[in-house]
Amino acid sequence: MGISSDNVRGFLLAVSSSVFIGSSTIIKKKGLIKSGAAGTRAASGGFSYLCEPWWWAGMITLIVGETANFVAYAYAPAILVTPLGALSIIFSAVLAHFMLKEKLHIFGILGCVLCIVGSTTIVLHAPLEKKIESVKEVWHLATEPVFLVYSFLVIVVVVVLVFKYAPRYGQSHMIIYVGICSLMGSLTVMSVKAVAIAAKLTFEGMNQFKYFETWFFTVFVIGCCILQVIYLNKALDAFNSAVISPVYYVMFTTFTILASMIMFKDWDTQSATQIATEVCGFITILSGTFLLHKTKDMGKGPPTQPPLFQTQSHHQNQNLHPTRTL
């Protein structure tokens, strides 16, 4: 990893962000459980969690974490900041154990370890941040044909998931809710990066909020965040948070780094060895996620369902064919 003061600032901010974001997941989950017991669950389309103090405590914690994350993107490249979100998995798992009585079995722990090892590999080989002098430079990068195609495909897939698959399969297939949040999250991070750079340059004396592009990115971030909050709440309400956190993290990280490489052309400043090492990190992360997803129900007894065909008991047969007495 290229060592610079900006990268160090970004690293420290990203780590502190992971602590708050990992904690917020469990606090919000507790609020969703309490609100679901008193009203319509979020997974069923309810918004009773808006009246639950625990949920708001989780949102405040999330805002603190996202603020630290926002500032981190102003100093360090997305390929460094985003993978550090793996640390939030640890805090989520620990708090879930104490607050929600949710336990990860041995394969779940192994999956978390693989995620962290893969993330560490990527962090150690992260490129230096490219120097950007104006938000107009970010706008130019975001409007290049390759990134426009990526953005179009992401939006199309999200629209299909939201309107076709989420209402029918969302509560039984967590990949739908998580996919919506992860795909939109990759575009959100690129916009957050633009707004963070604009804010940083403005504080340095170069006002960027006089440009239309800055306000476009700001509005886009707000809209995407609202969509992600709604569907992440649905996912947390419908599924085990100890599984949701790692799966969401890995999908979000993968799409975000892909978007960053397309938009900022991060590969231009990296050698073949660095790129190969980062690919190995991705494979390690994906392996951990696959393990978590495939073994999420291990240790639970099979659900008891009534048989499709019930056989009549001996007494029922006697009632249907009573014996005749002479």
Side-chain angles (χ1 to χ4, degrees), residues 30-320:
K30 188 174 181 66
L32 289 167
I33 292 173
K34 293 174 71 67
S35 66
T40 305
R41 294 178 58 195
S44 302
F47 292 92
S48 58
Y49 57 82
L50 294 175
C51 300
E52 175 55 50
W54 273 99
W55 186 84
W56 281 108
M59 278 302 298
I60 292 171
T61 308
L62 177 64
I63 291 170
V64 173
E66 291 295 354
T67 301
N69 210 37
F70 173 84
V71 179
Y73 280 116
Y75 290 100
I79 200 170
L80 167 63
V81 176
T82 305
L84 287 170
L87 297 177
S88 65
I89 298 172
I90 299 175
F91 295 102
S92 292
V94 172
L95 287 179
H97 175 81
F98 291 104
M99 294 181 65
L100 304 178
K101 309 303 179 185
E102 295 178 358
K103 298 183 184 298
L104 277 177
H105 48 71
I106 186 63
F107 290 107
I109 295 173
L110 178 59
C112 289
V113 171
L114 287 174
C115 290
I116 294 169
V117 170
S119 299
T120 303
T121 302
I122 294 173
V123 167
L124 292 176
H125 295 84
L128 291 171
E129 177 75 311
K130 294 179 181 178
K131 190 170 182 61
I132 296 178
E133 301 292 343
S134 170
V135 73
K136 286 183 173 290
E137 292 183 35
V138 184
W139 179 263
H140 175 72
L141 294 171
T143 53
E144 289 191 353
V146 178
F147 189 75
L148 286 177
V149 170
Y150 172 81
S151 301
F152 175 77
L153 291 175
V154 166
I155 292 173
V156 168
V157 172
V158 168
V159 168
V160 171
L161 289 175
V162 167
F163 291 103
K164 183 176 180 180
Y165 291 101
R168 296 160 64 182
Y169 306 111
Q171 295 190 45
S172 57
H173 296 76
M174 69 176 177
I175 202 71
I176 294 175
Y177 290 152
V178 174
I180 292 170
C181 296
S182 304
L183 285 166
M184 288 308 298
S186 67
L187 297 182
T188 305
V189 167
M190 297 303 102
S191 298
V192 166
K193 180 77 175 172
V195 177
I197 290 173
K200 178 184 175 184
L201 292 173
T202 299
F203 283 123
E204 291 176 353
M206 296 176 285
N207 183 18
Q208 301 295 304
F209 286 90
K210 63 183 179 181
Y211 300 125
F212 158 79
E213 291 84 355
T214 303
W215 292 105
F216 175 86
F217 284 126
T218 302
V219 172
F220 188 81
V221 167
I222 294 171
C224 288
C225 287
I226 292 173
L227 179 68
Q228 288 175 255
V229 166
I230 291 172
Y231 281 95
L232 189 56
N233 281 332
K234 289 178 180 286
L236 287 171
D237 191 38
F239 303 100
N240 190 326
S241 60
V243 176
I244 285 290
S245 295
V247 174
Y248 169 66
Y249 157 73
V250 171
M251 290 185 64
F252 169 72
T253 301
T254 302
F255 288 124
T256 298
I257 293 181
L258 176 62
S260 177
M261 286 185 169
I262 293 173
M263 181 171 170
F264 291 100
K265 299 180 177 63
D266 291 325
W267 59 77
D268 289 348
T269 60
Q270 293 181 287
S271 65
T273 303
Q274 284 179 298
I275 295 173
T277 304
E278 287 171 4
V279 170
C280 291
F282 278 126
I283 293 174
T284 304
I285 291 173
L286 292 175
S287 300
T289 308
F290 180 80
L291 186 63
L292 279 164
H293 182 66
K294 286 298 182 181
T295 62
K296 60 183 172 56
D297 296 322
M298 184 176 291
K300 297 180 181 179
T304 57
Q305 296 180 347
L308 293 177
F309 302 100
Q310 290 185 346
T311 57
Q312 294 176 326
S313 65
H314 175 70
H315 294 292
Q316 287 174 321
N317 289 332
Q318 283 186 333
N319 291 333
L320 288 174

